[in-house]
Amino acid sequence: MTGSKALKSEQAEKKHILVVEDEEDILALIHFNLSRAGYRVSCATSGEEALRLVRAHLPDLVVLDLMLPGMDGLEVCRTLKKQPDTARVAVLMVTARGEEADVVAGLEMGADDYVTKPFSPKILLARVQAVLRRGEKGLESPADGKVIQRDGLLIHPGRNEVLIDGQPVELTFTEFQVLRFLAGRPGWVFTRYQIVNAVRGDDYAVTDRAVDVQIVGLRKKLGAYGSWIETVRGVGYRFKD
Ligand code: CA
């Protein structure tokens, strides 16, 4: 491949990110850092403008501040996720400390992840890259049915079997489902409600609180791997990426 061809294909692959933020200095900072990292970046300073821009040209990702004048970020997220033509656009929420309830609401609406202000450019870039990478892998039930292996931990959905360094671990059916769900999507934060929804068995109803109980049980049984199930305070749980 010649240099100019390589350059062209690189440009064609440039991901397009729409940043929505009403605070101009923060907007400029995010724009600067994402552009420097090689993304194509557009900006909106209100929710209404963001929706107009998304409809005019679908971005790969929306970096969405939740605190906006007029239509707030959650409303923008809800609108994007309920329209079939915009539902697949990835959303990275930007929140202030103490807005865990909004994070939970946003995740349950389909937002992909969040960063909390103040954040470093490095953290922002890492989150952006992770969300875009997941989008490429496909959002539809990744890893269901596939064997999941992380270091010495092996999860075999077909056999309902978990091995640690080759030794079987006795899990209840629900514990197994929770582990498989989280470990199949490392790095994703899930709310308790999302976990309940994903693992609800036919035998009995799993409640929000019961998720915590399952996690406690899992961590005990997984030994050193127990800490790979991380608590995201006020939000939910995540399997180490
Ligand atoms: Ca704001």
Side-chain angles (χ1 to χ4, degrees):
M1 198 186 266
T2 68
S4 80
K5 260 188 195 158
L7 189 66
K8 240 180 219 165
S9 75
E10 200 175 284
Q11 280 168 345
E13 283 165 19
K14 242 186 191 186
K15 297 281 188 189
H16 176 201
I17 302 177
L18 171 65
V19 183
V20 192
E21 169 64 270
D22 59 308
E23 288 158 80
E24 307 242 342
D25 49 343
I26 299 178
L27 182 64
L29 188 73
I30 297 177
H31 182 282
F32 172 76
N33 282 290
L34 293 181
S35 302
R36 196 174 57 170
Y39 296 108
R40 191 154 66 82
V41 185
S42 14
C43 297
T45 52
S46 73
E48 290 83 353
E49 189 189 6
L51 291 178
R52 262 199 313 278
L53 289 178
V54 168
R55 284 180 187 131
H57 190 92
L58 222 57
D60 296 291
L61 168 69
V62 179
V63 174
L64 179 62
D65 187 44
L66 292 190
M67 291 282 279
L68 296 168
M71 182 186 229
D72 70 16
L74 280 182
E75 196 50 44
V76 173
C77 182
R78 193 195 324 268
T79 307
L80 289 176
K81 293 297 177 180
K82 79 178 178 205
Q83 305 278 347
D85 51 335
T86 55
R88 294 185 65 92
V89 173
V91 173
L92 177 67
M93 300 180 284
V94 178
T95 71
R97 226 174 269 289
E99 284 179 349
E100 283 83 5
D102 286 345
V103 170
V104 168
L107 290 173
E108 287 172 1
M109 272 171 212
D112 294 80
D113 204 348
Y114 68 98
V115 280
T116 305
K117 285 179 185 172
F119 48 79
S120 68
K122 208 172 137 190
I123 292 278
L124 175 73
L125 265 180
R127 296 287 161 83
V128 162
Q129 283 162 354
V131 168
L132 287 171
R133 206 167 50 230
R134 293 173 198 163
E136 282 165 5
K137 281 192 205 155
L139 296 168
E140 310 306 335
S141 54
D144 282 348
K146 271 197 210 147
V147 172
I148 301 163
Q149 180 161 24
R150 296 285 307 274
D151 293 0
L153 177 68
L154 193 89
I155 304 165
H156 203 307
R159 290 191 209 143
N160 271 9
E161 190 178 68
V162 174
L163 301 174
I164 291 181
D165 301 326
Q167 297 301 309
V169 183
E170 291 290 325
L171 298 182
T172 66
F173 179 71
T174 307
E175 284 168 348
F176 181 83
Q177 298 289 99
V178 170
L179 176 63
R180 173 178 123 166
F181 177 68
L182 292 175
R185 298 152 182 84
W188 289 80
V189 182
F190 292 103
T191 68
R192 291 171 176 81
Y193 175 79
Q194 287 176 311
I195 296 170
V196 168
N197 254 9
V199 308
R200 189 172 305 193
D202 302 330
D203 44 353
Y204 65 98
V206 184
T207 62
D208 264 30
R209 258 326 117 205
V211 169
D212 297 339
V213 176
Q214 301 297 331
I215 299 280
V216 169
L218 265 175
R219 281 184 178 146
K220 253 186 220 155
K221 293 178 183 177
L222 293 177
Y225 291 97
S227 63
W228 287 26
I229 302 174
E230 300 169 342
T231 302
V232 184
R233 224 149 70 101
V235 178
Y237 295 100
R238 162 179 65 201
F239 198 81
K240 200 178 111 178
D241 197 0

